[in-house]
Amino acid sequence: LQQQGYVAFVLNTGEDARQEREAIVAALQKNVDGVILCPAPSGEDNVRFLQQKRVPFVLAGRYFEDAPCDYVACDDEQGGYLAMRHLLALGHRRILFVNGPQGISSARERESGCRRALAESAVLGAQFAVKTVPVTLGDGQELAKALGLDGGIADYTAVIAFSDMLAWEVIYLLGQRGVQVPQQVSVLGFDNIQSRFLFPVPLTTVSSSKYTLAQMAAGRLLDLLQGRAPGSGERLAVRLIERGTTAQPPA
């Protein structure tokens, strides 16, 4: 954007649709040329608001089927498929998915991919549970409840987390209860944050290039600003990166 003479500023809305609307209004009051938006859960009305204002915009990372517009997102369905297939191949048969709200397209698609892998595997007796938690980090109480830690360890041997940040919080909470990762419970995340930052826990994750996603979103917005209509949407390929937080389940 800078190379094309634009100045970018960032507003964080904390996954809250009301704060997101306020941020959009504030941006429009500054007469911005365009908007790149990672929409909050169930934020379709905010997308329609932008459409009504006729301001060029691109969604990044998520989209809404009920509010079609230009977007760049990861192949989240395939990501869920790879995550589940990896855990099943290791021998896990009791798997918990700590997922984000269904108002997030990536949450829906990752769960769908998990279920597709489970159906294709034809593994008899496999158990797959899904618990919904906020995707922003909190005090850990809701996540601990989802993990079954408020009343003893729940009956699972692997946890898929909606994001890497959530996965590290899962590992922390399990560790507080004396549960070893991956010796007792395997943990897998999404985003591959570790590719760009150093963390002490080598996390198994589903990776897509967020750098590439950001570049593509900016490029598509520039196309819109210059009168070129790039189309309805584009998906980035994903891959699974196996590190140190997944292993065979205990015998």
Side-chain angles (χ1 to χ4, degrees), residues 40-107:
S42 303
E44 295 98 328
D45 287 345
N46 291 335
V47 173
R48 296 189 185 97
F49 178 73
L50 276 171
Q51 290 172 328
Q52 292 170 0
K53 295 299 181 180
R54 299 186 179 278
V55 176
F57 72 95
V58 175
L59 301 187
R62 305 170 183 173
Y63 70 98
F64 297 109
E65 295 176 353
D66 295 336
C69 59
D70 206 285
Y71 70 88
V72 180
C74 304
D75 189 348
D76 287 301
E77 201 275 347
Q78 180 67 9
Y81 177 84
L82 294 176
M84 177 62 77
R85 193 173 68 172
H86 170 67
L87 294 175
L88 291 174
L90 288 173
H92 292 278
R93 298 297 180 263
R94 301 189 305 278
I95 300 168
L96 172 66
F97 186 12
V98 181
N99 199 9
Q102 289 295 296
I104 300 176
S105 60
S106 48

Side-chain angles (χ1 to χ4, degrees), residues 168-201:
W168 278 308
E169 193 172 3
V170 168
I171 292 170
Y172 173 77
L173 290 173
L174 290 174
Q176 280 191 319
R177 272 71 173 184
V179 180
Q180 294 180 310
V181 175
Q183 293 88 343
Q184 294 172 273
V185 174
S186 290
V187 178
L188 184 152
F190 282 84
D191 294 333
N192 194 28
I193 292 176
Q194 204 153 12
S195 67
R196 299 184 65 82
F197 301 98
L198 296 177
F199 289 94
V201 179

